[in-house]
Amino acid sequence: QNPMTTLSRNLSAQRMFSAWAREHRPQNRFTGRTKSDFQRWKKATLPKVLACIGDAPQRVPLNPEPIAEWEHDGLVKQRWFIDVLPHLSVIVQVNRPPDLKRGERRPALLCWHGHGPYGKEAVMGNDTSPERRANIAQLNYNYGHQMAQAGFVTFAVDWMGMGDLLEDGKPNWQPQARNSRDWCNLYYLQATMLGMTSLSINVALGQAATDFASGLPYVDPRRLGVMGLSGGGTMTLWSALCDPRFKAAEIICYSDLWAAFGFRDLYLCGMQVAPGLFKLVDLPDLQGLIAPRPLLVDIGVHDTCFSIATARACYRQVAAIYRAAGVPGNLELDQFASDHAWGGNKSVAFFRKHLG
């Protein structure tokens, strides 16, 4: 047997996929330079991208039901049941400043949580246990609490399988589970069998929460923003693409190249992907489709989930898209010396500037 022939063979499907990803050039990658280039690209690309996530699930009337109202750390907080889809309800939490004047309407932010069993709890400021306090401290995670203290109304809902939607049965939720049959991947398989994806379903959860929040007497439905960390950055991106009501977005620690974090590092899961998406675009193209709306990108220099080198490469491509769109000032970067976390250095000023 020729040893050189043996050495040239590859018996690993994972290495095959990684090589394919490194060599791949998405069909609709943005390569233009002018505003007309951008406009033609977005018109041709956005419908194809949105088609990748499959059918939108059937919505049902909200039928809101109040659960509780309390005061915490200078804020008024509420929880409500709403119905979203056939056979699925969710709990929406709303945080608001206590100084609202009669008839006043404030800008509101949908605050998506990332992967984790606590769901929206830490994001909205639930610090009632040592575990949740540690979660908040580690990631500067309570942006739904801090942004309400800064004067915004904030609201949040859980992804499927997390927080109030955490499943009791098998398989157990496992953080950063690379080789487990976790709920993220099982939901994706089940959804695609029905012509949907986890993304299309979770987007619908966010749209229902936004419908509800927009109807609150102290929310201005013309001034809505969306923000989220990590997996919450995934949902921030897709919420902005699918829902034009959001006038500004902050994507926190979800910038990279799919060949790097998806195929090399194996940080993808069923809650982040859609059939044929990478065939069309890379992640920076997807972020660039938000243009011309304002976008703030947070990148942690020491992020252990997304390499700073490829995160910066992603941002440079997004910046090129915003320049071509003629709105370079609508893109901002918060790069900070931290691990996977919310920078929080520019968020208040950014949303005040663009939402009032």
Side-chain angles (χ1 to χ4, degrees):
Q1 185 177 14
N2 187 334
M4 294 303 294
T5 301
T6 303
L7 290 174
S8 68
R9 307 288 183 176
N10 169 47
L11 301 180
S12 166
Q14 177 55 40
R15 287 166 61 185
M16 173 192 72
F17 281 117
S18 295
W20 284 355
R22 288 193 304 270
E23 297 166 357
H24 177 60
R25 294 295 179 268
Q27 294 174 355
N28 286 52
R29 182 180 183 181
F30 183 75
T31 57
R33 293 187 176 183
T34 67
K35 189 172 183 178
S36 59
D37 290 338
F38 167 77
Q39 291 171 337
R40 284 194 298 270
W41 171 75
K42 183 169 182 175
K43 183 178 180 180
T45 302
L46 183 57
K48 294 178 181 179
V49 163
L50 296 183
C52 285
I53 67 172
D55 298 337
Q58 177 188 345
R59 292 281 303 280
V60 298
L62 297 175
N63 297 320
E65 177 186 347
I67 301 173
E69 179 174 307
W70 70 101
E71 294 186 6
H72 172 225
D73 200 17
L75 298 174
V76 178
K77 300 187 173 184
Q78 295 178 329
R79 291 197 175 207
W80 296 73
F81 278 121
I82 62 170
D83 297 333
V84 182
L85 313 174
H87 313 296
L88 185 67
S89 302
V90 298
I91 295 175
V92 178
Q93 180 162 330
V94 180
N95 295 349
R96 74 175 190 267
D99 60 343
L100 289 168
K101 298 182 178 67
R102 184 181 181 88
E104 181 184 8
R105 290 178 177 266
R106 294 279 180 95
L109 304 173
L110 169 58
C111 298
W112 281 110
H113 68 85
H115 282 90
Y118 302 132
K120 65 183 179 300
E121 294 300 303
V123 167
M124 298 304 279
N126 184 345
D127 58 1
T128 56
S129 71
E131 294 79 12
R132 290 190 177 95
R133 288 193 293 273
N135 194 215
I136 290 171
Q138 178 186 6
L139 305 176
N140 192 24
Y141 205 7
N142 60 341
Y143 38 87
H145 184 86
Q146 292 188 45
M147 295 301 283
Q149 289 181 318
F152 299 90
V153 175
T154 62
F155 61 102
V157 70
D158 295 302
W159 299 24
M160 293 187 296
M162 301 177 198
D164 291 311
L165 300 182
L166 184 65
E167 303 285 353
D168 293 329
K170 66 177 184 179
N172 292 326
W173 186 89
Q174 299 181 39
Q176 301 298 345
R178 298 189 179 191
N179 299 302
S180 70
R181 290 183 60 80
D182 65 0
W183 281 112
C184 288
N185 297 332
L186 288 177
Y187 285 148
Y188 174 80
L189 296 173
Q190 292 172 336
T192 55
M193 289 286 286
L194 296 168
M196 297 177 283
T197 59
S198 300
L199 282 171
S200 69
I201 296 172
N202 282 325
V203 163
L205 303 188
Q207 289 175 330
T210 305
D211 291 346
F212 169 73
S214 296
L216 294 171
Y218 45 83
V219 167
D220 186 344
R222 300 165 301 175
R223 296 188 290 164
L224 300 177
V226 58
M227 63 188 299
L229 166 67
S230 189
T234 307
M235 290 310 306
T236 294
L237 173 55
W238 283 101
S239 293
L241 293 178
C242 294
D243 197 333
R245 290 178 295 180
F246 294 116
K247 306 305 182 186
E250 180 178 6
I251 296 174
I252 308 165
C253 289
Y254 183 63
S255 293
D256 212 323
L257 305 175
W258 275 324
F261 84 95
F263 290 81
R264 181 194 68 195
D265 301 335
L266 301 180
Y267 275 121
L268 284 180
C269 76
M271 293 294 191
Q272 304 173 51
V273 298
L277 186 59
F278 189 26
K279 180 180 179 181
L280 288 172
V281 292
D282 205 343
L283 183 54
D285 301 303
L286 206 58
Q287 292 185 2
L289 285 168
I290 294 176
R293 284 177 291 170
L295 173 63
L296 171 61
V297 174
D298 290 30
I299 295 177
V301 172
H302 306 295
D303 195 329
T304 50
C305 293
F306 301 104
S307 163
I308 180 63
T310 43
R312 289 283 305 183
C314 175
Y315 181 79
R316 286 193 296 271
Q317 176 65 4
V318 178
I321 296 173
Y322 268 75
R323 285 195 301 272
V327 288
N330 279 0
L331 178 67
E332 297 185 36
L333 172 65
D334 183 3
Q335 182 173 290
F336 49 94
S338 177
D339 197 341
H340 199 62
W342 176 47
N345 301 298
K346 297 186 177 182
S347 308
V348 173
F350 171 80
F351 282 113
R352 282 180 179 168
K353 176 182 178 181
H354 296 293
L355 299 182

